[in-house]
Amino acid sequence: MTLPAQVAQQNDDPVTETLYQQVQHFYARQMQLLDEGQIAAWADTFTVDGVFAADAQPEPVAGRAAIRTAAQAARDALDAKAIRRRHWLGMVDVRPDGPDQVRVVSYALVLEIPRGGPATVHVHTTCDDVLVRRGGAWRVKHRQVRRDDLAGGAAR
Amino acid sequence: MTLPAQVAQQNDDPVTETLYQQVQHFYARQMQLLDEGQIAAWADTFTVDGVFAADAQPEPVAGRAAIRTAAQAARDALDAKAIRRRHWLGMVDVRPDGPDQVRVVSYALVLEIPRGGPATVHVHTTCDDVLVRRGGAWRVKHRQVRRDDLAGGAAR
Amino acid sequence: MTLPAQVAQQNDDPVTETLYQQVQHFYARQMQLLDEGQIAAWADTFTVDGVFAADAQPEPVAGRAAIRTAAQAARDALDAKAIRRRHWLGMVDVRPDGPDQVRVVSYALVLEIPRGGPATVHVHTTCDDVLVRRGGAWRVKHRQVRRDDLAGGAAR
């Protein structure tokens, strides 16, 4: 067998099926909250000590309160230009890391739609998350976003 | 806990897992039927009294027969220009509303591909559905499409 | 009932739920392997006798070794131009064909991101797969890709 271990095991893990749906649903809700401007509710999908890191930013944003503040500022700037952003997060690869923690590597397609159009692709990124379950709900403990148009990343 | 109630509950509802897959699969089939020009079969994924409302249209289309007629006209217009449309429906947020009814809020990315290319993003919309289960199959009872390039919507 | 048989049955097949998640996860991993340049591991997601056919190619590529060679050549050409490709595979319609074989018809959205940007839609295709389960893991036995910008296809 030359197939990678994680692929070979994917049908043997009884946890994966339930987990996969929970993660997909979590991301759908999370992105809708952000895109609909419900920034406080979106920030609450991070843990209190959650970290949001992006290779396009000078340094990681640490803590839910700081994440909320940064997202609100980004939102206000878009609103001032009458531009909507839509985040599609997909191609979700879930890697269980204990009963209440998973690592999830996914793609994010970010679209921008100015009032009057047209809709365009803004950027494409990867999203590398550590999710933890707290009180029955998944939250982001650590997020690393990498833009595909920047020079870094494992593949370059 | 400041997390919204629906997020906090998402892992506690045993119905959601099965439902989520059914809804995803339903949309995959439904969009493929539309994009492949199987308009009568696509219209049958609405209830007989189904309603298709879109903020880009002057008024809702009511009833499966009228929905089929409108979709066929749209299809014929595209065929005359040798343009294919592809509908991606994703970021699916499912909210159970009884055993045989769900509300689903999702994103729709509509691409247009003229013969010879290139493929482009046509519009981005949200899709707010009421699905009902009839005879073991989900159908759309009410659909509200909102284009992100238009001025309306809750977020503006 | 004028609803197509496959839609009517979709909620009656207890296999579908588990299968659907496995197929989604399989595609997420498979596309990430390709896009991250792990070509040998990606080729291993095909059966040893797997076939990759595309209407944009003169003839099908037959066998895992030939598939790997062709993919590596395509990758090298993109690397030389500092272009990243990202494959989104979605709108997945799974049709069970025995306990260890499924046919899957889906959409593929291929994005290209040159270093420095911007990200653009490269092509949109359909993907018609026969997947088989071998040793607990799904693999592609036959793949037929059809580009929507080309004149062929059932709908034209």
Side-chain angles (χ1 to χ4, degrees), chain A residues 17-18 21-22 24-29 31-33 35-37 41 44-45 64 75 79 82-84 86-90 109 111 113-117 119-121 133-139, chain B residues 1-4 6-12 16-18 20-21 24 88-96 105-109 121-126 147-156:
Chain A
E17 178 181 350
T18 305
Q21 180 274 325
Q22 289 179 1
Q24 285 187 311
H25 204 180
F26 171 75
Y27 283 131
R29 292 177 189 278
M31 296 299 145
Q32 290 198 16
L33 288 174
D35 294 340
E36 293 297 336
D44 285 344
T45 64
R64 184 188 285 168
R75 175 74 189 194
D79 282 350
I83 293 174
R84 244 189 232 287
R86 293 291 181 184
H87 293 78
W88 282 62
L89 198 142
L109 172 63
L111 296 138
I113 307 102
R115 198 174 299 168
T120 59
V121 176
R133 181 151 41 193
R134 297 274 191 274
W138 291 100
R139 287 191 183 80
Chain B
M1 285 291 166
T2 56
L3 201 73
Q6 77 270 25
V7 174
Q9 289 166 4
Q10 81 180 78
N11 299 334
D12 301 333
T16 305
E17 179 180 351
T18 306
Y20 200 78
Q21 181 275 325
Q24 285 187 310
W88 283 63
L89 198 142
M91 307 314 289
V92 175
D93 183 13
V94 178
R95 304 170 191 180
V105 178
S106 63
Y107 289 177
L109 173 62
V121 175
H122 174 54
V123 291
H124 192 278
T125 79
T126 52
R147 271 172 46 182
D148 281 334
D149 57 313
L150 301 183
R156 272 184 185 159

Side-chain angles (χ1 to χ4, degrees), chain A residues 30-137:
Chain A
Q30 192 191 39
M31 296 299 145
Q32 290 198 16
L33 288 174
L34 178 62
D35 294 340
E36 293 297 336
Q38 300 180 45
I39 304 299
W42 174 79
D44 285 344
T45 64
F46 288 78
T47 61
V48 172
D49 64 348
V51 173
F52 188 118
D55 60 358
Q57 296 173 172
E59 58 187 30
V61 181
R64 184 188 285 168
I67 290 171
R68 182 171 56 229
T69 301
Q72 188 64 58
R75 175 74 189 194
D76 292 345
L78 288 168
D79 282 350
K81 295 187 283 186
I83 293 174
R84 244 189 232 287
R85 260 191 207 161
R86 293 291 181 184
H87 293 78
W88 282 62
L89 198 142
M91 307 315 288
V92 175
D93 183 13
V94 178
R95 303 169 191 179
D97 188 26
D100 293 314
Q101 182 165 314
V102 291
R103 185 176 166 210
V104 186
V105 178
S106 62
Y107 289 178
L109 172 63
V110 186
L111 296 138
E112 282 199 350
I113 307 102
R115 198 174 299 168
T120 59
V121 176
H122 174 55
V123 290
H124 192 278
T125 79
T126 53
C127 182
D128 193 338
D129 275 357
V130 176
L131 304 185
V132 292
R133 181 151 41 193
R134 297 274 191 274

Side-chain angles (χ1 to χ4, degrees), chain C residues 3 6-7 16 29 65 67 69 74 80 92 99 102 105 116 128 139 153:
Chain C
L3 200 72
Q6 78 269 26
V7 174
T16 305
R29 293 176 188 278
I67 290 171
T69 300
V92 175
V102 291
V105 178
D128 192 337
R139 288 190 183 80

Side-chain angles (χ1 to χ4, degrees), chain B residues 22 25-26 29 136-138, chain C residues 5-13 16:
Chain B
Q22 290 179 1
H25 205 180
F26 171 75
R29 294 177 188 278
W138 291 101
Chain C
Q6 78 269 26
V7 174
Q9 288 165 7
Q10 79 179 80
N11 299 333
D12 301 333
D13 186 350
T16 305

Side-chain angles (χ1 to χ4, degrees), chain B residues 17-18 21-22 24-29 31-32 35 44 82 84 86 88-89 113 116-117 136-139, chain C residues 1-3 6 10-11 16-17 20 24 88 90-94 105 107 109 124 126 148-149 152 155-156:
Chain B
E17 179 180 351
T18 306
Q21 181 275 325
Q22 290 179 1
Q24 285 187 310
H25 205 180
F26 171 75
Y27 283 130
R29 294 177 188 278
M31 297 298 145
Q32 290 198 17
D35 295 339
D44 285 344
R84 243 190 233 286
R86 292 291 182 186
W88 283 63
L89 198 142
I113 307 103
W138 291 101
R139 288 191 182 81
Chain C
M1 287 289 166
T2 56
L3 200 72
Q6 78 269 26
Q10 79 179 80
N11 299 333
T16 305
E17 178 180 351
Y20 200 77
Q24 285 187 311
W88 282 63
M91 306 314 290
V92 175
D93 183 13
V94 179
V105 178
Y107 290 177
L109 172 63
H124 192 276
T126 53
D148 282 334
D149 56 314
R156 271 181 186 161

